[in-house]
Amino acid sequence: MADLTCRFAGITSPNPFWLASAPPTNSGAQVHRAFEAGWGGAVWKTIGAPVLNVSNRYGAWHHGSQRMLGINNIELISDRPLADNLREIAEVKRAWPNRAVIVSAMVESTPEAWHEIVRQIEDTGADGIELNYGCPHGMNERGMGSAVGQVPEYCEQITRWVKNVAKIPVIVKLTPNITNIIGPARAALAGGADAISLINTINSITAVDLESFDISPSIGGKGGHGGYAGPAVKPIALNMLASVAGDELISKSGIPVSGMGGISVWQDAAEFVLLGATSVQVCTAAMHYGFRIIDDLCDGLSNWMDARGIADLNDIRGKSLPRLSSFQDLDLSFRAVARIDADKCIQCNLCYAACNDAAHQCIDLVNSAGKVIQPGYSERESGKRLATEDRPKPVVREDDCVGCRLCHNVCPVEGCIDMVEVPSGRQSITWAKLSAEKPELTNDWDAMKRYRDAMGIHIH
Amino acid sequence: MKSDAVTSAPLGELLTPFSDHEATLEANRCLYCYDAPCIHACPTHIDIPTFIKRIADKNLLGSAKTILESNLLGATCSRVCPVQELCEGACVLGSDHPPIQIGRLQRYAMDAIRGRETQTVSIGDETGKSIAIVGAGPAGLSCAGELRKLGHAVTLLERRAVGGGLSTYGIIQLREPIDIAIGEAAFIERLGVKFEYGVELGHDKSLAELRRDFDAVYIGVGLGQSPDLHIPGEEWIFDGLRLIEQSKMEAAPMKLGQRVVVIGAGNTAIDCATIAKRLGATDVTIIYRRTIDEMTAYPHEYEFAKAEGIRFEFLAQPSAVITDEQGVTGLTCQRMHLGPDDSSGRPSSIPVPDETFVVEADQIIKAIGQVRHPLASLLGLGIENGYITVDENFETTLAGVYAGGDCIRATGAASTVMAVQDGKLAARSIHQAIMGGPS
Ligand SMILES: Cc1cc2nc3c(=O)[nH]c(=O)nc-3n(C[C@H](O)[C@H](O)[C@H](O)COP(=O)(O)OP(=O)(O)OC[C@H]3O[C@@H](n4cnc5c(N)ncnc54)[C@H](O)[C@@H]3O)c2cc1C
Ligand SMILES: Cc1cc2nc3c(=O)[nH]c(=O)nc-3n(C[C@H](O)[C@H](O)[C@H](O)COP(=O)(O)O)c2cc1C
Ligand code: SF4
Ligand code: SF4
Ligand code: SF4
């Protein structure tokens, strides 16, 4: 069995799965049950300045029959009295010495306020502090949360205030609501952060009510932009994680990154680790299905590791980062084409419509006699037999296929359309190299045409 | 003892309507195939992926519009179509999943706009042309509605007092409640079609009059009564079509026997047997002279009948009704075996010499199809094998007289949806002919 033990900036947990700072970690009783279920750690729901919440604070984005592909919230930090939170944190930590108990905090931007909260947190015996620079609603209007995370100077300043007094590890949690995530990440590093976590939630409006024209969900006729999380944000989170973990300064510093944003199955977690995460945090999936999902997360991850002979997650951490490339360094001579497995194909023709209307018109519908058939039907014929017996199958004209991968993405049958590498007959070349050798190609279509003709590149 | 207090409940619609939740879940399962096989399989070629997507989108008026564009009798078809042999049988999911329940989704959309159907249809400018339609069954209603959409003045003559044809008086309530069929006729009327009930062609009106008064005539008179069996005691046998009609049209609860024999092996026989069973008969047996393989009933209907507890006696041909002073006590049958193929392409059934047996019964029902319409020859129309002859434009041998539906369906399974398609295609031909040139 693979060892899932996670060592993160001096904090150890039996597995890398921590509940993110959010409703599932709102109280001692909840975190207690989460640990019973097997969670490796929990980042307490952010504590700090006094707040009042509103009703209807969670919106969601559903698609088809899939509920809550994204959740949007305008919840503030913990609305429970600070003293209650602190007492329960202490109780939980005492009961669960081997789990990571990290406390998220957000207070007024003064050194005094931060020093006070750090002291109070350390008194609980917690393993670490997470500085919430991310909350994109409400708190930012009071100069906290993303109002800090969006200004690298503030990030650095507050991190330094905290680090000046903190004895336990300090994690800085970044907001994704920024053009370049490297700025605040480096600022946290400069301020002395022991670790970085990301992403917090993304600015969003989920819906408008078509009856009332209210922003949905409606809080007495009004609504606001909220923070977006859940499966829909995973690709954004992965990109930001890769930027941060792959950043020269950050990676040289050796500080770990806790990754989150849309993790709902073990595969997601493995991907976060491959892009440099040391621990991973989960919120929406636990809000959707409850604490029990931890079983599947751990089991899936360790089975995968066993099957691949991976003893320790450290062995694969960041392993995919070197595969990250800018466009100009990609091989322009790499060629892949779509290939359809006729036995798996159920003949929905979604690939045909996609290629025909949005790609390169290179899928034909071919009947059993090998004849290309145009879509359509005769008004006078009908019945199951007629419709199914010799329904033409989609076939890719590989010579015309540009390998865009659209059909592969739309096909509803797993493993039915593969992108297969085929020799292009051309030497490997990158745009960086080509444009350096032949600068005229960057601004002259005639030159480009001559080059394509010479290379045998035909795009219709 | 059979209770006399039989209500219509046992004969109520078999499939429950989809709830909003069920409909949305099912609609979202549809892949929205391109050039979808379900469209190919539907005789009226409803754009099924589009109407289903509109259910998922909660655009039910738009969904119904998509259905009605291809099939004005979408509400009836959603209930009575043999979907296993048509759209659902062709669904791409069917190979390894349950196919999309297209019929029930269609019913959901049609139910949602009941009474508002006309909102989905636009009527063309008045053309000044007029057409007479004979018969308010699916074939006639469809043709009338389509012609009205094109702006023609349409008059529909129906011998009975209500419209809908067999949808109203021939299709059991388990599949279609009567008010759906009648509501559909009312929709066609609201499109501006003039209905004249109680008018019988060949009796109250002659074809010559219609040809004189209208620019074109379309005949959708369906088929006739059940044929005779020509066996001793025939007068004791109850007509299955009448049985079904009474089960739908009569308010008073029906009284049937305890041990019922149904003669025939088509879908109508199964319908009759189902009614008998549901009205309280303890034994119901279907008697057929060939075997299960030659039965014209759909496989899913056969399975349904077995699940209802109906017994099948194959290779048996009725030869005489046995009675005593109380009435029917049984049916003598001749044992048969299969012989060489006959003209219908099915194995013939040949008597096994000297082998007869008796099936005890207190009620015998025949459900052996309908006779071809005697009207066709009376009207002087060309006929073939009893069916009205039409060309590819649905025109009969008399110029300007068209026909469609069961009365022309010499080959293939007669069904409501085929009749609807006939009406639609005939309407296009008529339009083209009377307007001169393509539509
Ligand atoms: C018992 C039974 C069950 C069936 N079940 C199904 C089923 O589940 N699914 C399915 O798809 N199909 C079913 N069918 C077949 C389907 O009902 C027919 O194919 C369909 O109704 C044919 O439509 P039509 O308009 O051609 O004829 P009909 O429905 O027969 O309508 C003909 C109309 O013309 C009228 N008419 C007749 N003569 C004259 C005249 N001289 N003047 C004026 N009016 C006249 C009649 O009163 C009637 O209203 C069933 C048929 C039967 C008998
Ligand atoms: C309802 C809700 C409340 C949240 N509250 C906080 C919070 O108080 N502090 C914080 O740092 N992050 C908060 N978050 C952000 C989560 O910790 C996490 O960063 C984000 O949800 C992404 O992870 P996920 O996709 O697994 O949900 C909240 C998220 C949600 C959905
Ligand atoms: S990869 Fe793109 S171009 Fe090639 S068949 Fe698929 S959709 Fe068409
Ligand atoms: S999308 Fe996939 S299943 Fe559908 S027709 Fe294309 S290859 Fe076949
Ligand atoms: S074949 Fe099935 S899945 Fe495809 S469009 Fe038709 S109903 Fe939907």
Side-chain angles (χ1 to χ4, degrees):
Chain A
M1 252 275 290
D3 180 11
L4 294 183
T5 305
C6 170
R7 289 173 198 82
F8 182 97
I11 303 167
T12 305
S13 61
N15 64 56
F17 295 103
W18 301 349
L19 283 168
S21 170
T25 58
N26 197 40
S27 68
Q30 284 167 284
V31 176
H32 187 75
R33 276 194 289 117
F35 285 164
E36 276 179 342
W39 288 85
V43 185
W44 209 271
K45 171 75 185 173
T46 306
I47 58 171
V51 296
L52 284 171
N53 266 312
V54 293
S55 290
N56 271 354
R57 55 183 178 263
Y58 306 153
W61 181 60
H62 316 292
H63 186 69
S65 291
Q66 282 286 333
R67 301 296 292 180
M68 219 157 92
L69 285 171
I71 187 172
N72 149 296
N73 82 89
I74 53 164
E75 178 171 287
L76 303 178
I77 63 174
S78 176
D79 52 12
R80 304 177 63 230
L82 183 61
D84 292 1
N85 275 312
L86 293 170
R87 192 186 65 249
E88 289 172 17
I89 293 166
E91 285 165 6
V92 165
K93 184 61 220 180
R94 221 175 301 127
W96 297 93
N98 76 333
R99 306 299 168 94
V101 176
I102 292 146
V103 180
S104 169
M106 178 194 297
V107 289
E108 221 186 312
S109 297
T110 66
E112 296 75 27
W114 279 102
H115 289 169
E116 174 65 7
I117 195 80
V118 169
R119 190 187 56 71
Q120 288 170 318
I121 291 170
E122 288 188 339
D123 283 349
T124 65
D127 301 299
I129 304 176
E130 188 177 79
L131 311 185
N132 179 348
Y133 294 170
C135 190
H137 47 264
M139 303 311 289
N140 61 335
E141 295 169 18
R142 292 165 57 181
M144 297 177 252
S146 63
V148 174
Q150 287 166 339
V151 185
E153 295 74 25
Y154 296 171
C155 275
E156 183 176 340
Q157 178 62 264
I158 291 175
T159 308
R160 183 161 298 123
W161 290 340
V162 170
K163 276 301 291 180
N164 279 341
V165 295
K167 294 186 277 295
I168 55 177
V170 174
I171 307 164
V172 170
K173 182 170 178 183
L174 300 179
T175 175
N177 299 308
I178 184 153
T179 317
N180 185 353
I181 192 79
I182 298 300
R186 286 185 176 179
L189 184 66
D194 299 294
I196 285 171
S197 60
L198 80 173
I199 58 174
N200 211 309
T201 55
I202 304 175
N203 279 338
S204 57
I205 293 173
T206 42
V208 177
D209 187 309
L210 296 182
E211 290 294 323
S212 62
F213 296 3
D214 281 349
I215 304 295
S216 174
S218 161
I219 296 117
K222 289 186 178 175
H225 71 82
Y228 200 45
V233 312
K234 183 190 116 178
I236 298 167
L238 280 180
N239 176 52
M240 292 197 155
L241 168 66
S243 302
V244 169
D247 178 63
E248 227 186 296
L249 285 187
I250 306 268
S251 62
K252 211 183 291 155
S253 77
I255 66 169
V257 182
S258 184
M260 81 197 93
I263 294 175
S264 48
V265 291
W266 65 265
Q267 286 95 332
D268 298 332
E271 290 169 33
F272 274 72
V273 172
L274 284 165
L275 285 177
T278 298
S279 74
V280 291
Q281 300 185 30
V282 177
C283 163
T284 305
M287 290 180 76
H288 199 159
Y289 300 113
F291 296 136
R292 62 200 161 123
I293 60 166
I294 184 59
D295 241 3
D296 177 47
L297 291 170
C298 287
D299 191 56
L301 186 62
S302 80
N303 286 342
W304 173 72
M305 290 169 68
D306 289 347
R308 310 243 349 174
I310 303 164
D312 188 326
L313 283 174
N314 280 317
D315 298 344
I316 56 158
R317 171 154 311 106
K319 272 279 186 291
S320 296
L321 286 171
R323 317 281 173 97
L324 220 77
S325 168
S326 53
F327 184 88
Q328 60 167 357
D329 294 325
L330 297 174
D331 183 2
L332 297 170
S333 299
F334 169 79
R335 182 162 141 76
V337 295
R339 200 164 286 165
I340 297 171
D341 183 338
D343 290 336
K344 288 189 180 149
C345 173
I346 59 171
Q347 296 163 285
C348 66
N349 288 354
L350 288 172
C351 58
Y352 174 86
C355 186
N356 210 33
D357 289 0
H360 281 75
Q361 301 79 43
C362 54
I363 297 181
D364 291 329
L365 299 174
V366 181
N367 71 6
S368 57
K371 195 166 160 250
V372 173
I373 305 291
Q374 294 309 313
Y377 52 81
S378 146
E379 281 276 13
R380 311 233 171 191
E381 289 175 313
S382 59
K384 161 187 173 171
R385 290 241 328 257
L386 169 106
T388 55
E389 232 170 38
D390 192 14
R391 179 165 168 84
K393 293 202 165 195
V395 176
V396 177
R397 285 195 319 278
E398 291 188 2
D399 282 348
D400 293 333
C401 170
V402 299
C404 72
R405 208 171 191 254
L406 179 62
C407 56
H408 167 88
N409 292 327
V410 300
C411 177
V413 181
E414 211 176 297
C416 177
I417 303 187
D418 268 340
M419 299 305 296
V420 290
E421 186 173 349
V422 292
S424 68
R426 302 192 298 273
Q427 286 241 300
S428 287
I429 181 100
T430 65
W431 181 253
K433 187 148 179 278
L434 185 61
S435 57
E437 282 170 8
K438 300 186 198 309
E440 67 277 14
L441 294 185
T442 65
N443 55 22
D444 178 358
W445 267 111
D446 292 331
M448 179 58 93
K449 181 174 185 318
R450 284 192 298 278
Y451 174 74
R452 285 186 179 184
D453 288 346
M455 301 307 293
I457 301 171
H458 302 293
I459 301 166
H460 71 276
Chain B
M1 268 297 287
K2 184 164 70 81
S3 153
D4 279 346
V6 179
T7 67
S8 69
L11 300 184
E13 199 164 12
L14 202 61
L15 292 175
T16 51
F18 267 154
S19 67
D20 293 343
H21 174 64
E22 285 171 302
T24 308
L25 267 184
E26 189 65 359
N28 276 317
R29 221 161 56 80
C30 168
L31 296 174
Y32 198 46
C33 300
Y34 183 79
D35 195 26
C38 52
I39 307 178
H40 291 215
C42 169
T44 56
H45 305 294
I46 294 174
D47 186 345
I48 291 162
T50 295
F51 97 67
I52 292 181
K53 186 169 195 323
R54 289 177 178 193
I55 290 176
D57 289 355
K58 307 204 187 311
N59 173 10
L60 297 185
L61 189 71
S63 178
K65 181 176 179 191
T66 302
I67 296 162
L68 291 168
E69 255 161 26
S70 302
N71 182 332
L72 287 172
L73 273 57
T76 286
C77 284
S78 72
R79 293 171 161 87
V80 309
C81 274
V83 288
Q84 293 86 340
E85 304 298 320
L86 301 172
C87 54
E88 291 182 18
C91 174
V92 300
L93 295 176
S95 56
D96 45 14
H97 286 76
I100 300 295
Q101 297 181 61
I102 300 168
R104 290 179 83 185
L105 284 171
Q106 180 172 323
R107 177 174 152 197
Y108 174 79
M110 294 307 304
D111 282 354
I113 63 133
R114 234 179 120 191
R116 303 191 281 142
E117 294 89 347
T118 48
Q119 289 179 20
T120 69
V121 181
S122 53
I123 307 284
D125 293 339
E126 299 294 333
T127 60
K129 305 280 185 186
S130 64
I131 298 112
I133 310 275
V134 185
L141 289 174
S142 162
C143 189
E146 298 290 346
L147 285 167
R148 189 63 207 119
K149 272 163 60 181
L150 293 165
H152 302 299
V154 183
T155 302
L156 203 157
L157 313 177
E158 165 61 49
R159 149 177 95 179
R160 289 180 175 249
V162 286
L166 285 168
S167 309
T168 297
Y169 55 80
I171 292 182
I172 55 175
Q173 302 250 44
L174 269 73
R175 271 201 289 288
E176 182 179 18
I178 200 160
D179 52 324
I180 299 294
I182 290 182
E184 222 159 31
F187 154 49
I188 300 299
E189 196 162 3
R190 284 199 307 279
L191 290 178
V193 172
K194 196 169 146 239
F195 278 60
E196 291 183 13
Y197 288 112
V199 179
E200 181 172 347
L201 175 64
H203 189 262
D204 306 304
K205 271 271 193 256
S206 73
L207 187 54
E209 284 173 274
L210 294 180
R211 293 181 79 195
R212 183 194 66 210
D213 297 342
F214 293 90
D215 295 300
V217 179
Y218 171 85
I219 294 175
V221 291
L223 296 174
Q225 291 303 311
S226 298
D228 288 339
L229 283 163
H230 304 294
I231 58 171
E234 174 118 30
E235 64 278 14
W236 293 97
I237 298 180
F238 200 79
D239 178 1
L241 292 177
R242 262 187 60 211
L243 171 78
I244 293 174
E245 181 170 343
Q246 285 178 10
S247 79
K248 294 194 80 172
M249 315 283 278
E250 276 172 26
M254 293 177 62
K255 283 192 187 156
L256 285 180
Q258 279 293 295
R259 284 172 306 166
V260 176
V261 164
V262 179
I263 303 165
N267 297 306
T268 306
I270 290 181
D271 288 350
C272 291
T274 305
I275 291 180
K277 189 82 191 174
R278 291 205 164 211
L279 287 180
T282 44
D283 292 316
V284 180
T285 307
I286 288 180
I287 296 217
Y288 179 43
R289 62 194 160 118
R290 287 184 262 224
T291 74
I292 177 169
D293 296 327
E294 292 78 36
M295 259 171 60
T296 52
Y298 297 118
H300 63 267
E301 288 291 326
Y302 173 68
E303 292 304 325
F304 172 76
K306 282 204 310 192
E308 288 276 299
I310 291 158
R311 219 165 59 79
F312 285 81
E313 182 72 56
F314 291 113
L315 294 169
Q317 168 134 303
S319 51
V321 178
I322 313 170
T323 55
D324 62 14
E325 52 289 354
Q326 312 286 323
V328 173
T329 62
L331 181 69
T332 309
C333 296
Q334 164 73 50
R335 183 56 77 198
M336 312 295 278
H337 70 90
L338 291 182
D341 288 2
D342 64 12
S343 62
S344 74
R346 294 177 300 176
S348 56
S349 81
I350 299 171
V352 179
D354 299 331
E355 207 182 306
T356 61
F357 61 99
V358 171
V359 183
E360 291 187 6
D362 53 14
Q363 176 126 41
I364 300 169
I365 296 164
K366 66 174 173 187
I368 50 172
Q370 292 169 273
V371 291
R372 327 282 196 268
H373 223 292
L375 186 68
S377 48
L378 292 178
L379 295 174
L381 298 173
I383 50 172
E384 228 174 83
N385 203 11
Y387 296 96
I388 300 176
T389 310
V390 293
D391 63 14
E392 72 279 6
N393 295 320
F394 295 86
E395 194 166 13
T396 66
T397 49
L398 283 184
V401 178
Y402 297 76
D406 281 2
C407 63
I408 66 156
R409 183 130 292 95
T411 55
S415 62
T416 306
V417 66
M418 300 287 279
V420 173
Q421 181 71 348
D422 285 357
K424 182 171 94 185
L425 295 179
R428 286 187 200 160
S429 299
I430 293 169
H431 177 74
Q432 215 161 323
I434 61 182
M435 299 305 283
S439 56

